[in-house]
């Protein structure tokens, strides 16, 4: 295991602990039905930081890979099960769990104008289900980083072949509420990503 791989692995371990800490802030592991709005905003802010850090960790891993081509899917559909005469198979829409977007959509550089509209602001306790889904998505990525890095590497390779501009790297994520190790890692990730993207040919 080289030094960079060891750093990334330790970073994911610290991120996993921070995700547990974010969950514990609102006792989400106990499955509450409602939590305070202010508490939900705190947890959401913490998760936003962790999502950025984990996303960047996976991106650094992906930039060091040379992914193999994706295998084609089988042309023949799976056979339908044998059913008694007069019985039809009910098809329900597939419900997929929330996934962490490894390459978020590009955002405009313009800032919002005017004052925010707070006329529709609601108060009181809120449902924590979205926060739980975000935590579950982070845990899935942290549990299988190699698989997600390989998938992202294929996406990056496809974008580069199509002449797309390279992904932009934002400033270091403020991690003052996280562990010192995770804060130090968050500070150095943008430089590592920029170095990994140096060979990307811009379509501009």
């Amino acid at each position: 295991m080289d030094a960079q791989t060891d750093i990334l692995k330790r970073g994911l371990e610290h991120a996993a602990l921070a995700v547990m800490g974010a969950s514990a802030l609102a006792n989400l592991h106990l499955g509450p039905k409602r939590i305070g709005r202010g508490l939900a905003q705190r947890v959401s802010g913490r998760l936003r930081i962790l999502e950025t850090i984990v996303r960047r960790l996976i991106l650094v891993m992906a930039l060091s890979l040379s992914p193999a081509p994706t295998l084609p899917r089988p042309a023949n559909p799976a056979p339908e099960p044998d059913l008694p005469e007069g019985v039809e198979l009910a098809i329900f829409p597939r419900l997929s769990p929330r996934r962490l977007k490894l390459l978020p959509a590009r955002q405009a550089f313009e800032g919002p104008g005017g004052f925010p509209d707070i006329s529709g602001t609601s108060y009181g306790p809120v449902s924590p289900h979205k926060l739980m889904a975000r935590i579950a998505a982070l845990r899935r990525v942290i549990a299988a980083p190699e698989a997600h890095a390989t998938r992202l590497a294929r996406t990056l390779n496809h974008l580069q072949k199509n002449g797309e501009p390279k992904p932009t790297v934002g400033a270091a994520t403020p991690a003052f509420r996280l562990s010192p190790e995770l804060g130090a890692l968050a500070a150095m990730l943008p430089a590592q990503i920029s170095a990994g993207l140096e060979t990307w040919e811009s379509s501009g």
Side-chain angles (χ1 to χ4, degrees), residues 49-79:
I49 294 173
L50 293 172
E51 287 165 348
T52 300
I53 292 174
V54 170
R55 187 181 293 119
R56 290 179 174 180
L57 285 168
I58 298 300
L59 179 54
V60 171
M61 294 176 62
L63 290 172
S64 65
L65 297 177
S66 298
T70 306
L71 296 177
R73 294 183 179 181
N76 298 329

Side-chain angles (χ1 to χ4, degrees), residues 23-120:
S23 176
L25 279 176
N27 290 325
L28 297 181
H29 56 288
L30 301 178
K33 300 296 184 182
R34 311 284 286 182
I35 61 175
R37 184 174 299 274
L39 182 57
Q41 292 174 345
R42 285 180 56 197
V43 176
S44 179
R46 191 75 58 89
L47 290 179
R48 191 177 302 112
I49 294 173
L50 293 172
E51 287 165 348
T52 300
I53 292 174
V54 170
R55 187 181 293 119
R56 290 179 174 180
L57 285 168
I58 298 300
L59 179 54
V60 171
M61 294 176 62
L63 290 172
S64 65
L65 297 177
S66 298
T70 306
L71 296 177
R73 294 183 179 181
N76 298 329
E80 295 185 0
D82 294 331
L83 299 173
E85 185 178 354
V87 176
E88 296 182 356
L89 183 64
I91 305 298
F92 294 93
R94 182 180 179 181
L95 300 177
S96 58
R98 182 188 178 105
R99 292 173 61 178
L100 176 65
K101 294 182 179 179
L102 300 179
L103 278 181
R106 297 187 182 93
Q107 296 180 352
F109 289 102
E110 296 82 1
F115 294 97
D117 180 14
I118 61 173
S119 59

Side-chain angles (χ1 to χ4, degrees), residues 9 11 24 37 40 43 101 110 136 153 163 182 188-189 194 199 203:
K9 180 180 178 181
R37 184 174 299 274
V43 176
K101 294 182 179 179
E110 296 82 1
L182 206 54
M188 73 177 192
L189 281 175
S194 296
T199 58
S203 61

Side-chain angles (χ1 to χ4, degrees), residues 122-185:
S122 56
Y123 301 92
V126 296
S127 170
H129 290 165
K130 289 184 179 180
L131 295 176
M132 293 177 179
R134 290 169 64 185
I135 289 173
L138 274 168
R139 286 176 172 169
R140 281 192 294 272
V141 174
I142 294 172
E146 293 84 2
H148 288 83
T150 300
R151 178 165 59 88
L152 180 57
R154 292 196 183 103
T155 300
L156 294 173
N157 187 47
H158 177 73
L159 293 175
Q160 190 172 14
K161 285 184 176 180
N162 288 346
E164 296 286 342
K166 66 181 178 181
T168 56
V169 184
T173 305
F176 58 93
R177 295 184 183 276
L178 304 179
S179 66
E181 295 84 1
L182 206 54
L185 181 65

